[in-house]
Amino acid sequence: MSFTLSAPDFSDVAFAARFREVADASTHTDGYRPFNEQALLDAASGRRRPQLLLEGEDAVGAAIFGRGEIDLVVHPRYRRRGHGTAALRRLFEDEGGMSGDLRAWAHGDLPGARALADRFGFSADRTLLQLERPLTASDAAATPALPDGVELAPFRAADAADWVRLNALVFATHPEQGTLTEADLADRQAEPWFDAGDLLLARETAADTAPGRIVGYNWLKVEPGARLGEIYVLGVHPDAAGLGLGRALMLAGLARLRERGCTTVELYVEAESTTPVRLYRSLGFEDRTVDVQYHRWPR
């Protein structure tokens, strides 16, 4: 097996089409996407490198790697032939050798992924739950009970810096979400799915004409033409914890998604985040699949 070296980035239309074909085939077979949004954004921006795995002229897999992280999928047609093992060996070489500090996502945590992780000395480090539930007419009619002195408003461009600061505070211990910058926010605003009306902000009621402090948010994501909506990220300021703001923001988000024509809603949450998980389950969300991040510590 060899790796394509001609155009390992998404600016090449042919390369991007072949990469997408591998990813789409995996999604169709497994029922979930092999690369998360952060990996794809990193690859598009050049922070990490996308790569096709080639056997002759056949694209047998795809990967995104760099910065100590590996995301890898083998095309369903070519699985169980040793391609995953061969690819990891080569990616190890490019990422600093077999002794480096590396992380890898296993979307769906399939048995083959677990076996491959064990073979190369990875151990499970994080578990990400994907939860889902249908949306109904009653969701559109829900009336969120906001805490006193708090109101909902859509995101404005002038809110960017305040939102980034609050997001960093809420997700201070989260390895991806908590490190988002204004540039990262701008990248997402440039995506075709972004709609400022889908980023619901909870603000303290202002005493004058200036907007009040942002104390929570529910960012929704709806791909163009999709009937599936996502609770992209939900956050509540520590000062507002225990006031029911998280539930109110969730209900407002479900209503917004239903009004936009979505029939199903999904979200991702760290399994160890017991309070959010409890909230989501109380609102009818059920397990769809599990993603596991594996970690290989330096040796």
Side-chain angles (χ1 to χ4, degrees):
M1 177 186 295
S2 62
F3 286 73
T4 183
L5 299 175
S6 58
D9 66 70
F10 292 147
S11 64
D12 183 280
V13 175
F15 176 89
R18 297 189 78 189
F19 189 99
R20 186 167 55 251
E21 190 278 328
V22 173
D24 289 348
S26 175
T27 301
H28 178 75
T29 297
D30 301 329
Y32 40 81
R33 297 179 292 272
F35 301 105
N36 61 27
E37 181 189 58
Q38 187 61 55
L40 292 171
L41 285 172
D42 284 345
S45 69
R47 290 188 292 264
R48 296 172 64 198
R49 300 183 296 281
Q51 196 74 67
L52 284 172
L53 284 61
L54 296 181
E55 186 175 59
E57 294 299 315
D58 296 331
V60 301
I64 297 175
F65 64 104
R67 303 174 71 181
E69 296 185 44
I70 295 173
D71 290 83
L72 168 69
V73 65
V74 175
H75 193 297
R77 191 184 307 133
Y78 298 97
R79 291 176 180 173
R80 292 176 290 279
R81 302 185 190 180
H83 294 306
T85 298
L88 273 182
R89 290 191 191 283
R90 175 63 183 275
L91 291 172
F92 274 149
E93 294 173 7
D94 291 342
E95 281 302 291
M98 297 290 283
S99 62
D101 183 16
L102 294 170
R103 287 178 170 81
W105 277 108
H107 298 286
D109 197 27
L110 297 172
R114 292 197 297 270
L116 198 60
D118 184 65
R119 185 177 308 139
F120 282 91
F122 285 81
S123 58
D125 191 34
R126 293 169 58 196
T127 300
L128 191 66
L129 305 178
Q130 182 183 6
L131 307 181
E132 185 179 89
R133 84 161 177 79
L135 289 165
T136 66
S138 61
D139 289 313
T143 304
L146 292 166
D148 291 341
V150 175
E151 57 189 6
L152 290 182
F155 176 83
R156 308 163 309 152
D159 294 319
D162 289 342
W163 182 86
V164 167
R165 281 192 291 270
L166 176 57
N167 181 74
L169 175 65
V170 172
F171 291 97
T173 61
H174 194 282
E176 292 106 17
Q177 186 65 33
T179 61
L180 255 65
T181 65
E182 290 190 54
D184 294 323
L185 174 59
D187 286 344
R188 286 157 176 77
Q189 288 177 280
E191 290 290 308
W193 55 263
F194 179 79
D195 184 324
D198 290 339
L199 180 40
L200 307 176
L201 302 181
R203 294 182 180 278
E204 292 178 335
T205 305
D208 51 30
T209 57
R213 182 179 64 146
I214 303 172
V215 292
Y217 56 88
N218 188 358
W219 192 351
L220 313 172
K221 178 181 179 181
V222 184
E223 295 283 359
R227 304 298 297 277
L228 172 67
E230 180 182 347
I231 304 294
Y232 187 55
V233 58
L234 177 86
V236 174
H237 195 291
D239 291 349
L243 301 178
L245 183 55
R247 178 174 292 274
L249 283 164
M250 279 294 297
L251 292 175
L254 298 177
R256 167 76 176 178
L257 290 173
R258 179 63 182 179
E259 290 165 2
R260 291 205 58 194
C262 295
T263 56
T264 308
V265 56
E266 66 177 2
L267 60 82
Y268 295 84
V269 60
E270 302 280 345
E272 62 270 21
S273 299
T274 54
T275 299
V277 170
R278 191 182 308 117
L279 170 62
Y280 303 145
R281 294 200 189 284
S282 75
L283 292 171
F285 284 85
E286 297 180 348
D287 292 348
R288 183 174 185 272
T289 188
V290 175
D291 296 339
V292 175
Q293 187 181 64
Y294 288 89
H295 189 188
R296 180 188 172 103
W297 278 268
R299 298 184 175 184

